[in-house]
Structures are given as structure tokens and as C-alpha cells.
Amino acid sequence: MTVPSGREHPASQPAVLRTREVRDRALFDLDDGPVTPSNRADLTATTRLLNGLLASLIVSSLQYEQHAQAVPAPSARPLADFLCTCADRDRGSARLVAARIGHLGAIGDYEPQHLSARSRIAFRAFPDGDLTGIVTQNLVGVRILVQTLQEAVRWVGDDDPTTRRLLERLLEDKESQAGQLSAQSSHQQQARERP
């Protein structure tokens, strides 16, 4: 017997299309909320990864904020404004990461004593307002986050598509910040070389 075009025999359909099986799987462990049996991620390891990212984003946002306040010259106001924007974006990203940790059944770790230990970003202040130091430190920090996010996207893979999409969105934002800070670093370098 020939199967009509566009229709398959029910036994050959992927599990996601078999209504009864999907319903049975959805009824399993209702307390897990959005985490269904089709999520193949190691939830403990994923939560640990996301908590490290959460700490890095919080430290990064604090560093951006402190550096924006340290910018001394009115002529560097555009840099200070950009750093404030980056701080706001990192705080927003941290909230998204914390929300995803919650979706996975855990709680984001905001404990101040643990933040610096889990962060991949090392906070450094520039109370003297050294613009070159500020730009370089933030460029290094954002490049660390770009690498961290790239590794995380590869590690998560297809096991948890929602977490992967979140990480990819954050990666895109961080790559944009890195590009802008790199341009600012070149500008600072040229300013130093002028007679």
C-alpha cells in the first residue's frame, strides 16, 4: 500500500509527533515545570555553568559602572555613557541567566562572597581615571566573556535548545561590545601616539 504524499505511517513518526507519547512524557514529573524528559542536559552541570556566567556578568556590570564613574574628562563623556549602557545590559543579561537557572529548577547564586570566586572576570578599579587602562580592562573582560559563551554554546549543543539560544543571544551582544571597545582602544592608542 502506498502512503499518501505528506503523510507517514504513525509508527514511523518522530516521538514529538506521537500525541499519546508526548502527553505521557509531559505528565511525568510535573514538578519539573518546563524541564521535560526531552531535555537531555545534565541539569546540575548546566546550572553550575550558568551560575558561573551569572557571577561573571554581575562582576562585569559592576566594573563597567565603576569605570564609567571614574572617567574624568568631560571630553570622554561618550565613553562613560557607553560603559553605563554596557553595565545596564550586563545587569539585564544577568537577570535572564538567573531566570533560566530558575526554569531549570535551581536558584541563581547572588551571594556577594562567592561572586568573585565564580566569576571569570577579575574586577579592577582605576581610581585615577586612566582611560587606556579602563578601556583595556573592559576589552579583556568582554573577550573573556565571548570565549566563555562560545565554549558554553558548544558544550550545551542540542541537549538544551532554550539555554543554547539564550547563550547565543548573550554571545552576540558581547561580540558587539567587544567590537566597540576594540575601536575605543584603537582611538586611545592613536591619542597616545600623537605628538
Side-chain angles (χ1 to χ4, degrees), residues 72-105:
S75 62
R77 205 66 239 152
L79 173 61
D81 292 343
F82 173 70
L83 295 174
C84 282
T85 299
C86 290
D88 292 341
R89 286 163 67 180
D90 278 3
R91 278 191 292 277
S93 295
R95 283 190 291 276
L96 293 173
V97 169
R100 184 61 188 154
I101 292 168
H103 295 155
L104 296 176

Side-chain angles (χ1 to χ4, degrees), residues 42-111:
D42 176 339
L43 297 182
T44 302
T46 301
T47 299
R48 190 171 38 251
L49 171 98
L50 291 175
N51 265 314
L53 180 57
L54 176 65
S56 298
L57 287 165
I58 291 169
V59 170
S60 177
S61 74
L62 293 171
Q63 182 168 260
Y64 276 132
E65 190 73 38
Q66 196 276 340
H67 290 172
Q69 300 305 317
V71 170
S75 62
R77 205 66 239 152
L79 173 61
D81 292 343
F82 173 70
L83 295 174
C84 282
T85 299
C86 290
D88 292 341
R89 286 163 67 180
D90 278 3
R91 278 191 292 277
S93 295
R95 283 190 291 276
L96 293 173
V97 169
R100 184 61 188 154
I101 292 168
H103 295 155
L104 296 176
I107 296 174
D109 187 353
Y110 283 88
E111 177 62 47

Side-chain angles (χ1 to χ4, degrees), residues 144-163:
I144 288 169
L145 280 170
V146 164
Q147 290 178 83
T148 300
L149 287 161
Q150 287 170 339
E151 292 168 8
V153 166
R154 282 190 286 273
W155 182 78
V156 170
D158 292 331
D159 290 345
D160 183 349
T162 304
T163 298

